[in-house]
Amino acid sequence: VVQQLAHVITVSRQSRLDIVDAFKRPESNIHIIPNGIDTDIFKPLPHVHRQHWRIITTASSDQPIKGLSILLNALAALREQFPHVQLVVVGKLKEGGSTEAELKKLQLETAVQFISGISTEQLVQEYAQASFAVVPSLYEGFGLPAGEALACGVPLICSDGGALPEVVGDAAYNVKAGDVGALAKVMAELLNSDELRKQLSVAGRLHSLQHLSWQVVAEQLTAHYQT
């Protein structure tokens, strides 16, 4: 069926390659339009104070592909130099799961907080309070959390897994997926540099407005329908 469709749209070059591989559809017949971010909701909140030692990520705790284990190990290494650093995970901790065991092994029980069931507005508040965000995924076909973080103007570190470099462009700090040492090093750089965090904050918001906002995405989709 996929090979017979007149038009196929997907959200990234990475996803297009996956479709080519899975369905043997010619790459030239797959059009790319990114997922849209509501930049009127996901936006900076200047009145909310950023907490210097607070890092945020969005991850399903026991899905290895999301890279939470990589981030936890980087955090454990980071706390030797920065003992006050804390991580907020937007996601639910599975009782008795591998992540819970890893938290105990790394002695991070008091350094990591899981929050779930929150509204979009509360999520934006969490981003506003964070010093920076991390998306450590080993693979993403797009990576909405990365786009949402950029739109909120929170400085972002993300892996180069899958489509993430496409989503963030030059507006985030990229590290090699799965590299604990590289991630810990960049996290330390951001904690040590107010200027770098400020630059990434501004760049992220601008990138989201120019490339990921619903206005931009809708215009691309409308133009495609009309061709």
Side-chain angles (χ1 to χ4, degrees), residues 4-214:
Q4 297 177 41
L5 294 172
H7 300 280
V8 172
I9 298 172
T10 192
V11 295
S12 67
R13 292 191 298 275
Q14 179 63 58
S15 290
R16 179 167 65 185
L17 292 174
D18 292 342
I19 292 170
V20 170
D21 182 59
F23 300 106
K24 312 306 178 190
R25 182 182 175 90
E27 185 175 342
S28 59
N29 289 339
I30 304 172
H31 195 74
I32 298 171
I33 297 175
N35 282 320
I37 307 293
D38 191 332
T39 52
D40 291 330
I41 294 177
F42 289 93
K43 62 183 179 181
L45 301 178
H47 62 281
V48 177
H49 173 68
R50 289 203 186 279
Q51 300 177 31
H52 181 71
W53 301 111
R54 188 181 181 94
I55 300 168
I56 190 171
T57 192
T58 301
S60 300
S61 64
D62 289 319
Q63 292 186 10
I65 200 169
K66 294 301 181 181
L68 182 58
S69 175
I70 306 302
L71 177 53
L72 293 179
N73 279 273
L75 181 70
L78 196 69
R79 279 174 62 84
E80 296 177 12
Q81 182 182 357
F82 304 100
H84 301 299
V85 71
Q86 298 281 317
L87 174 65
V88 173
V89 181
V90 181
K92 192 170 184 179
L93 179 64
K94 182 180 178 181
E95 189 173 345
S98 59
T99 299
E100 186 177 65
E102 190 159 34
L103 287 170
K104 293 178 181 177
K105 176 186 173 184
L106 297 172
Q107 299 181 339
L108 291 175
E109 297 101 320
T110 61
V112 181
Q113 174 191 3
F114 287 79
I115 57 174
S116 60
I118 61 175
S119 67
T120 300
E121 289 74 20
Q122 288 172 311
L123 176 57
V124 173
Q125 286 275 344
E126 290 293 336
Y127 276 128
Q129 294 178 64
S131 181
F132 58 87
V134 181
V135 178
S137 303
L138 302 180
Y139 173 86
E140 291 285 353
F142 184 78
L144 273 174
E148 291 170 352
L150 294 180
C152 288
V154 60
L156 176 64
I157 301 171
C158 74
S159 76
D160 62 359
L164 285 171
E166 299 177 54
V167 174
V168 303
D170 296 327
Y173 221 132
N174 279 120
V175 297
K176 184 174 178 58
D179 191 328
V180 172
L183 179 56
K185 180 180 178 182
V186 172
M187 290 166 70
E189 286 184 32
L190 255 64
L191 286 171
N192 280 324
S193 176
D194 292 342
E195 185 58 33
L196 181 55
R197 294 196 307 275
K198 187 182 299 182
Q199 289 174 5
L200 287 173
S201 174
V202 172
R205 178 63 180 174
L206 182 61
H207 180 82
S208 72
L209 292 173
Q210 292 178 339
H211 301 284
L212 301 173
S213 72
W214 272 119

